[in-house]
Amino acid sequence: MGEIKTYRMYIEGKSCESASGQWFESYYPYTGKVWARFPRGNAEDVDRAVNAAQKAFTQGEWPRLHASQRGALLRRLGDLVAENAQALAETEVQDNGKLIAEMSAQLRYIPQWYYYFGGLADKIEGAVIPIDKPETFNYTRYEPLGVVAAITAWNSPLLLATWKLAPALAAGNTVVLKPSEFTSASALEFVKLVEQAGFPPGVVNVITGFGAEVGDALVSHPDVAKVAFTGGEMTGQKVYETAARGMKRVSLELGGKSPNIVFDDANLDNAVKGAVSGIFAATGQTCIAGSRLLVQESIHNEFVDRLVSFAKAARMGDPSSLETQVGPVTTVPQMEKILGYIDIAKGEGAECILGGGRATRPECGDGWFVEPTVFTGVRNDMRIAQEEVFGPVLSVIPFRDEEEAVEIGNDIVYGLAAGVWTQSIRRALTMTDRLRAGTIWVNTYRAVSYMSPFGGYKRSGLGRENGQEAIYDFLQTKCVWISTAEDTPNPFIMRLPGDD
Ligand code: TXE
């Protein structure tokens, strides 16, 4: 690989190094080699970024813009993302190891978030309350919160940032974005487009660095009004606790261990594709992975055979080739975690019928690859069925009937998503009713949209991203009382409906 690329943080419309002058490196997962370096931020940088965001929230052009003008800026940003889609996709391939095929599609879709929330910006209306007091006018208005800290994970850096930035900005907030230390590049490429679109300095800032040094300082900063977080469950819990001390708003998008449930009346060709995309797409590094495949006993063996022959044929290797179907794992700690879980499953007595280790195929070179792995004979109480692996490892669990499918599906601390494969409308509706998860897919899997609310039940998180309701997570309600009375009544007597 050629020269190492140097990135700088972005605060108040300017590129800058960190206060400490230190750097950290990012690797290309396909080769395992360093390709870029980033400023290693600390609490001082956080303070500068939050101050810039607070200043932009209270002074200058941004707070004076109409909602329609904010919407126009967001739509312009969407256009710029579309124009620069290829370059952004290539950055993500390099930094994260994501497939170019997936990223090209994702980058064609990301502008929609800016168009949708840009369009929503001037449709947020308060209400006039038919108040029960004489000579009183009472109404509500929605106002932005202030500085939003957007903290994102490494698995889909730009998409996850977009889910936070588009509604936060549409609502009139300012933002400090902290991407994962493993994948900071796309945020810094993207923020150039924010500037080009014409957002005033300080409205969007990007700081790079580690969770304990930058993330924690950001969550604890007194001028941060809200934290929008995507990441692991343990970190989410810590963020929630820290934010609670400052009484900050929090939305958390955490992990999952989603059941993908195949009934014997399903279209099995479709269900096989759904099971494969549920766990092997994005190398299984998605919070919505269908990592528990529940298969009805009567079709279990046939289904597993079909699934394995489909998965076996998946092409691994160079993520920048359009032919590749399963790419590398993004980080070394993640690869080690996945391999650790494969050992745990073997130790628990699950049967490994596909993969089961690091990929040593020649086309994988020195990259961080794990073979697509399938375990059968998994019981739902095993760790491999209960804990999020976040990799290409599938646990197949047989079930008898609907009742047992619901019981196993819900017997988990998470509740992010679930899939149901059936041709019976009665069964589909019953299952969607009884499964406890924020998203249920029937005869499809992994579908998301800017229009459709996304978020978790139980320990999978708090709040919803996407869809109209997402913007209210970045707003607060103000209630205004105006007396139209000539005289202020006796201050020692409370007035009730019917009193003159
Ligand atoms: O995530 P972290 P990691 C799961 C997955 C993975 C595990 C750990 O199972 O193996 O989480 O991944 C920042 N205060 N998911 O370690 O630590 C951090 O810098 C504030 C599921 O990469 O949660 C990064 O920007 N911020 C998940 C972000 O939090 C802190 C996606 C997420 O990092 C912080 C990714 C702190 N104290 C991993 N510590 C999903 N839901 O999709 C860290 N951070």
Side-chain angles (χ1 to χ4, degrees):
M1 184 157 309
E3 226 174 274
I4 293 172
K5 188 160 179 172
T6 294
Y7 280 94
R8 291 188 167 71
M9 304 196 275
Y10 185 81
I11 300 176
E12 209 170 9
K14 292 187 198 74
S15 291
C16 55
E17 293 180 10
S18 63
S20 70
Q22 292 183 336
W23 301 85
F24 66 96
E25 292 168 334
S26 183
Y27 299 80
Y28 181 29
Y30 178 49
T31 59
K33 300 222 163 56
V34 174
W35 81 278
R37 61 176 198 152
F38 301 88
R40 180 170 173 170
N42 60 22
E44 206 180 317
D45 301 298
V46 168
D47 199 42
R48 271 195 303 145
V50 176
N51 289 344
Q54 179 67 10
K55 191 170 132 201
F57 182 70
T58 52
Q59 300 169 30
E61 212 187 324
W62 182 248
R64 288 203 295 267
L65 292 182
H66 309 145
S68 307
Q69 292 171 311
R70 290 200 303 271
L73 280 175
L74 279 160
R75 289 195 295 279
R76 171 91 190 106
L77 179 57
D79 286 343
L80 288 168
V81 172
E83 283 163 30
N84 291 275
Q86 189 58 26
L88 288 167
E90 283 165 12
T91 302
E92 210 87 294
V93 170
Q94 198 55 209
D95 210 19
N96 173 290
K98 266 192 175 300
L99 301 182
I100 189 69
E102 184 190 350
M103 285 321 300
S104 302
Q106 204 183 87
L107 260 305
R108 278 202 312 279
Y109 201 29
I110 283 178
Q112 296 300 331
W113 267 263
Y114 296 102
Y115 300 144
Y116 179 83
F117 284 100
L120 190 57
D122 58 7
K123 292 164 195 70
I124 303 302
E125 296 169 350
V128 174
I129 313 288
I131 202 76
D132 62 339
K133 314 273 178 222
E135 298 175 309
T136 306
F137 180 49
N138 184 250
Y139 67 96
T140 59
R141 38 184 274 143
Y142 289 102
E143 296 187 347
L145 302 168
V147 178
V148 170
I151 301 179
T152 51
W154 44 261
N155 57 321
S156 262
L158 210 47
L159 185 74
L160 299 176
T162 292
W163 289 12
K164 295 161 182 55
L165 282 166
L169 296 172
N173 300 281
T174 57
V175 178
V176 178
L177 168 63
K178 191 210 100 54
S180 165
E181 52 271 41
F182 295 111
T183 55
S184 306
S186 56
L188 291 165
E189 296 289 352
F190 164 83
V191 81
K192 294 180 195 163
L193 307 179
V194 173
E195 181 172 319
Q196 219 177 307
F199 284 84
V203 172
V204 179
N205 309 273
V206 180
I207 47 170
T208 52
F210 295 92
E213 296 169 6
V214 171
D216 190 48
L218 190 54
V219 177
S220 0
H221 196 290
D223 284 337
V224 165
K226 152 142 191 157
V227 184
F229 174 87
T230 299
E233 185 197 339
M234 289 303 142
T235 314
Q237 200 174 320
K238 209 165 172 186
V239 164
Y240 198 14
E241 282 167 11
T242 308
R245 284 199 286 277
M247 217 58 84
K248 297 169 204 275
R249 308 277 190 102
V250 174
S251 49
L252 302 171
E253 202 273 274
L254 310 175
K257 192 78 189 177
S258 301
N260 200 359
I261 305 172
V262 185
F263 285 97
D264 59 6
D265 68 344
N267 174 324
L268 296 193
D269 288 335
N270 290 342
V272 165
K273 287 188 215 153
V276 165
S277 93
I279 191 65
F280 300 127
T283 317
Q285 302 177 117
T286 73
C287 49
I288 51 180
S291 48
R292 289 186 299 148
L293 182 70
L294 275 53
V295 183
Q296 195 155 18
E297 276 168 1
S298 47
I299 53 159
H300 178 275
N301 294 353
E302 181 199 344
F303 191 80
V304 166
D305 288 347
R306 287 165 76 163
L307 171 79
V308 166
S309 35
F310 199 103
K312 230 185 210 160
R315 286 185 296 275
M316 297 182 85
D318 184 353
S320 67
S321 157
L322 279 170
E323 302 298 306
T324 304
Q325 294 170 318
V326 178
V329 170
T330 302
T331 75
V332 169
Q334 191 59 32
M335 182 175 68
E336 285 166 354
K337 177 176 167 181
I338 298 167
L339 295 174
Y341 269 110
I342 290 175
D343 288 344
I344 288 170
K346 288 176 180 167
E348 285 178 311
E351 192 189 347
C352 184
I353 58 162
L354 182 71
R358 193 168 172 174
T360 51
R361 310 178 190 196
E363 57 272 34
C364 295
D366 294 328
W368 305 330
F369 287 85
V370 175
E371 282 290 341
T373 297
V374 176
F375 282 103
T376 52
V378 176
R379 283 192 330 269
N380 199 49
D381 62 354
M382 290 178 176
R383 284 185 66 192
I384 194 63
Q386 289 290 315
E387 297 175 21
E388 187 181 47
V389 177
F390 219 64
V393 181
L394 183 65
S395 296
V396 185
I397 305 172
F399 69 89
R400 241 182 353 265
D401 51 19
E402 259 171 48
E403 198 54 40
E404 197 181 29
V406 170
E407 195 184 304
I408 298 173
N410 286 338
D411 184 13
I412 192 83
V413 294
Y414 298 111
L416 193 57
V420 178
W421 298 85
T422 176
Q423 300 203 58
S424 152
I425 186 74
R426 183 206 58 76
R427 183 170 263 170
L429 289 171
T430 307
M431 294 302 287
T432 54
D433 185 40
R434 297 186 66 192
L435 288 168
R436 306 258 307 138
T439 294
I440 315 276
W441 293 292
V442 178
N443 297 331
T444 183
Y445 203 87
R446 272 192 104 225
V448 291
S449 165
Y450 49 90
M451 291 183 191
S452 189
F454 177 86
Y457 278 31
K458 302 196 266 183
R459 294 183 77 91
S460 289
L462 293 175
R464 292 293 177 269
E465 300 193 287
N466 309 336
Q468 292 189 30
E469 67 181 87
I471 201 167
Y472 293 97
D473 261 6
F474 294 92
L475 289 163
Q476 54 196 334
T477 312
K478 179 178 276 178
C479 197
V480 182
W481 294 77
I482 299 174
S483 170
T484 54
E486 291 279 352
D487 301 310
T488 299
N490 183 339
F492 299 109
I493 298 174
M494 185 185 183
R495 300 181 82 203
L496 293 171
D499 293 351
D500 307 318

